[in-house]
Amino acid sequence: MQLKAAIAVNSALIEFYWELGKMIEERHTGYGSQFLDVLSKDLKSEFPEMNGLSVRNLKYARQFYLFHSPQIRQQPVAEFSQQPVAQIPWGHNILIISKSRDIKEANFYLQQTLENNWSRDVLALQIKSRLYERQGKAITNFKHTLPTPQSELAEQTLKDPYIFDFMTMSAPYKERDIENQLVSHVMKFLLELGKGFAFLGQQYHLEVAGNDYYLDLLFYHTKLKCHVVIELKNTRFIPEYAGKLNRSGDPVLPVGGGYLSERTRR
């Protein structure tokens, strides 16, 4: 009950900023550069207990309206509360319109925020790491080895490159060093991998036809309903790496990998 009430309050607040932004855009030009200063003072006087009426926030309200109006104003007013923008907090909306280059990118972060229940800090991290640009960019053989729509879902799930700025390492580093760092920061690692990954183990032992095999990292993906094996290499990718994983003809991610920034390498 409290959750439903909070969602309703948030939706009403976002709609208020939408209407406020619309009013500012329609009247701003004819009233000169001091319009927002006067409006802010008048609103604070009329609603002394209400926050969010600063000049800065009024500018965000106008920016919010201008950014989304080509898309939202085509929808019936009664359906505003059903729009993604009305279902996330105002701070999230400000972050998205301030950092997104177009409505397509903004809609991506809106949808991801709703699906994953991202906090504003997590949303900021995902935008900073250019998740929109990286999502679904990895080169794979999934179209040839997986049936549709599973192949499409698998491709959309993977990124290129992966960014592991949370690791603190000094070169030169060994594959096991990378592995241990990823495991020690497994929550951040899972966040970078994306929604649906469950960590099953490190150096996971398999016995096949009397032979012992050890997988660097083993995951299970709840949406793909399959295991995901990660073999770590600290050298440039060569085709035989994929060959070792692909002897059975199973789908693999033949190229791509993680990115260690200069700050991380130090």
Side-chain angles (χ1 to χ4, degrees):
M1 195 67 180
Q2 286 182 330
L3 178 59
K4 289 183 178 179
I7 293 174
V9 169
N10 179 74
S11 178
L13 179 63
I14 301 304
E15 187 170 3
F16 167 75
Y17 282 128
W18 170 264
E19 294 296 337
L20 184 59
K22 179 181 179 181
M23 182 271 291
I24 293 171
E25 172 59 19
E26 291 174 348
R27 300 186 183 183
H28 179 265
T29 304
Y31 283 84
S33 59
Q34 302 301 314
F35 173 69
L36 291 181
D37 293 324
V38 174
L39 178 62
S40 176
K41 291 178 182 178
D42 289 346
L43 288 174
K44 288 178 180 179
S45 177
E46 187 72 21
F47 307 101
E49 297 182 359
M50 184 175 180
N51 297 320
L53 299 176
S54 66
V55 172
R56 181 182 182 186
N57 212 42
L58 296 184
K59 289 180 179 178
Y60 279 132
R62 178 172 179 260
Q63 182 183 355
F64 174 67
Y65 172 77
L66 290 174
F67 192 93
H68 287 290
S69 60
Q71 175 177 260
I72 294 181
R73 65 186 176 189
Q74 300 175 7
Q75 306 295 327
V77 176
E79 296 182 4
F80 184 88
S81 63
Q82 304 303 315
Q83 298 290 332
V85 294
Q87 299 177 49
I88 67 172
W90 178 239
H92 287 62
N93 273 301
I94 291 175
L95 185 59
I96 290 173
I97 63 174
S98 299
K99 301 297 184 180
S100 298
R101 290 167 294 183
D102 53 44
I103 194 66
K104 187 176 180 180
E105 182 176 355
N107 285 338
F108 171 83
Y109 286 117
L110 284 168
Q111 196 60 44
Q112 290 295 313
T113 298
L114 288 172
E115 288 182 8
N116 299 289
N117 294 313
W118 284 342
S119 67
R120 185 161 51 175
D121 287 342
V122 172
L123 172 61
L125 178 64
Q126 299 289 15
I127 294 175
K128 183 179 180 181
S129 69
R130 307 185 312 279
L131 177 64
Y132 174 72
E133 299 174 24
R134 297 184 291 125
Q135 193 77 21
K137 300 293 186 179
I139 301 173
T140 72
N141 67 346
F142 294 159
K143 286 186 178 180
H144 306 291
T145 54
L146 291 174
T148 306
Q150 191 179 19
S151 62
E152 294 179 357
L153 178 59
E155 289 183 330
Q156 292 169 7
T157 299
L158 298 173
K159 312 180 189 75
D160 186 20
Y162 289 83
I163 297 178
F164 302 140
D165 275 355
F166 51 81
M167 296 168 60
T168 54
M169 301 178 63
S170 299
Y173 40 78
K174 300 179 181 179
E175 292 164 13
R176 185 59 61 84
D177 296 332
I178 300 173
E179 180 183 321
N180 290 335
Q181 279 282 316
L182 292 177
V183 172
S184 66
H185 295 88
V186 69
M187 290 187 65
K188 294 180 180 179
F189 184 28
L190 287 172
L191 181 63
E192 173 59 19
L193 289 179
K195 185 179 180 181
F197 283 91
F199 179 54
L200 297 185
Q202 173 186 14
Q203 288 300 307
Y204 195 92
H205 176 244
L206 293 178
E207 184 177 340
V208 181
N211 295 317
D212 291 321
Y213 297 91
Y214 293 89
L215 310 178
D216 288 347
L217 299 170
L218 179 64
F219 295 83
Y220 184 78
H221 198 279
T222 56
K223 281 192 173 182
L224 296 174
K225 293 182 171 57
C226 66
H227 288 89
V228 179
V229 177
I230 295 181
E231 287 293 315
L232 298 168
K233 301 294 179 184
N234 67 345
T235 59
R236 184 177 294 275
F237 174 84
I238 57 177
E240 68 182 63
Y241 292 158
K244 291 178 180 179
L245 291 174
N246 198 30
R247 287 171 182 169
S248 64
D250 291 334
V252 298
L253 174 66
V255 297
Y259 168 73
L260 301 180
S261 69
E262 292 299 324
R263 178 174 62 81
T264 302
R265 290 195 184 102
R266 291 196 292 270

